[in-house]
Each structure stands twice: as C-alpha cells, then as structure tokens.
Amino acid sequence: MTVPTADGSMPAHLWRPAPGTASGAGVLVFQEIFGVTDYIRSRCADLAALGHTVLAPEIYWRLDDTDVDESHPDFLQHAMAIVGRLDWDLAVSDGQAAFAHLRGLPGVDRVGLLGFCFGGGLAWSVAAREDADALVSYYGSAIPQLLHLAPEIQTPSLHHFGLADTFIDQETVERIRDAVAGPTTRFETYEGAGHAFDNPHPVFHHAQASEAAWQVTIDFLAAHLAGG
C-alpha cells in the first residue's frame, strides 16, 4: 500500500488482525537502518497476531541503493551509508504522515509507536509532534541527540537498552533514563545484551534479552492501547 505525503506516495506495508481478533489499536512500526527487513516484518506479524493493525512505512523511499544484503560482510557499513544520506526532518514528516494514515484507517481508534534503533529515535520524534497513545523504543540510537524533545512527549513510553551496547554506552543510557523519567515511563536494561539485541542476525542477537523485552513490550502495549 502507499501513504500520501507532501512529496508523493510513500510505500508502506500493512498487517490486519484476523477477523474477530481486532483490538481497535494500531501500531506504527519504524524500521532499523537496514530497512523494512524480514525481521521487521516478522515483528509486525507478531503484533497483528495480537489483534493490532500494523503499519510499517518504507522510510528510505526517496533514496536509491537501499537494499542491504545482511549476508554480506560489509552490510553494516552499507546501511550506515544509507542512513547518512537520509534527510531526518523529511523522515520525521513521513512518520507523521504514516501516523495520520494509520489513525484514519477503519477500526483504528488508538495508535502506538514502536521503533527499533534508528526507528526508535524516529518514533520518539513523532511522539513529540503527534498525540500517540504509547511509545516503545528499542535502543533508540538518535535519542541522545534529541533529549531536548523530552518535555514535549506526554505519551506513556517504554525504553529498552542493552548494557553491553558499544554504540550507546552506559553513561549515555543513564543520561537518557534521567531525561525520560516520569510516572508513565518504563525503562528496561539487559545485562550482556548489545546493540540491536532483538535482531535475529547472529552479529546482534541476544536471545534472553530479546524474549524478555518482547514480553514487556506486549504487556506495555496491551496496557496502554486497551479500551477505546
């Protein structure tokens, strides 16, 4: 499907819950730097199985050469080069367009935001501009540079970080914790887990942290997206 934006139609992927299982909630999922990969799609399918309508926009839609072969030795460098060409402000605007589109779909009366890595920072930025019902960020890589937005975010939020993350060190994690602290914020850390620990790629995956964080995510979304 596509999402209308000021610059044209943005490709996106939509998952609908099985008939009779709809929760009335939508979840807008923002990709890692690798794009809307099989991993991201599997997480979207997991959410749809819980009764949510799920939308994952192709944030790289304005760029070329965005297919990342995760079996290639330099896949991480390739992905970093792609995200380096991205216009952040346009990406946030596209995220807002996707949010409005999802909220306008039949049967959706509440919308949560879920982002992984790059997508965690994008979800954070959209939450500062839109009235979302929940925000879940997995190791949001841009959040340390976006902490000035914290006072603008009234959305209940959940943050996941691995304590063995070499990209976001523990001092930075604690700085984020202090900035987002509040009565509707939940902050979870995982010993031994590195960056992108939910990604099943063997370079990143930490099975115990992935399983624990996903259960917390399910419970958090259920609590904040339940009841219209």
Side-chain angles (χ1 to χ4, degrees):
M1 63 169 299
T2 59
V3 171
T5 76
D7 298 322
S9 297
M10 173 173 58
H13 308 269
L14 181 69
W15 288 257
R16 286 283 198 182
T21 68
S23 66
V27 181
L28 180 58
V29 175
F30 291 113
Q31 65 191 54
E32 294 180 310
I33 61 172
F34 308 113
V36 184
T37 58
D38 289 344
Y39 153 57
I40 295 297
R41 294 175 193 231
S42 71
R43 279 308 191 202
C44 292
D46 291 340
L47 292 167
L50 296 171
H52 305 314
T53 298
V54 186
L55 182 67
E58 292 274 4
I59 297 298
Y60 290 160
W61 70 286
R62 290 183 175 86
L63 305 176
D64 57 9
D65 189 27
T66 59
D67 291 331
V68 178
D69 180 358
E70 294 183 64
S71 68
H72 199 278
D74 67 352
F75 79 101
L76 182 56
Q77 291 80 2
H78 183 194
M80 293 292 288
I82 295 169
V83 80
R85 295 188 281 120
L86 186 75
D87 184 308
W88 179 260
D89 291 336
L90 282 177
V92 174
S93 177
D94 287 343
Q96 291 180 263
F99 178 88
H101 189 78
L102 179 55
R103 174 150 275 176
L105 291 179
V108 175
D109 53 27
R110 302 169 307 282
V111 174
L113 307 171
L114 170 60
F116 298 89
C117 186
F118 155 76
L122 193 56
W124 168 265
S125 295
V126 172
R129 294 162 173 80
E130 302 292 343
D131 186 22
D133 296 284
L135 163 66
V136 180
S137 172
Y138 276 73
Y139 28 80
S141 55
I143 290 179
Q145 290 77 49
L146 298 169
L147 291 179
H148 61 281
L149 296 177
E152 301 175 37
I153 299 176
Q154 304 303 313
T155 305
S157 63
L158 166 64
H159 298 266
H160 298 291
F161 288 96
L163 293 180
D165 192 328
T166 57
F167 187 67
I168 305 174
D169 60 33
Q170 290 193 40
E171 181 180 347
T172 301
V173 169
E174 291 307 312
R175 185 159 55 92
I176 297 170
R177 186 200 296 268
D178 291 342
V180 305
T184 61
T185 300
R186 182 166 179 175
F187 204 93
E188 298 288 337
T189 57
Y190 304 89
E191 291 285 351
H195 195 70
F197 64 75
D198 190 56
N199 188 317
H201 193 289
V203 170
F204 307 117
H205 194 56
H206 190 288
Q208 292 82 3
S210 174
E211 181 178 357
W214 190 247
Q215 187 59 57
V216 173
T217 296
I218 290 172
D219 294 343
F220 184 85
L221 291 176
H224 293 285
L225 298 180

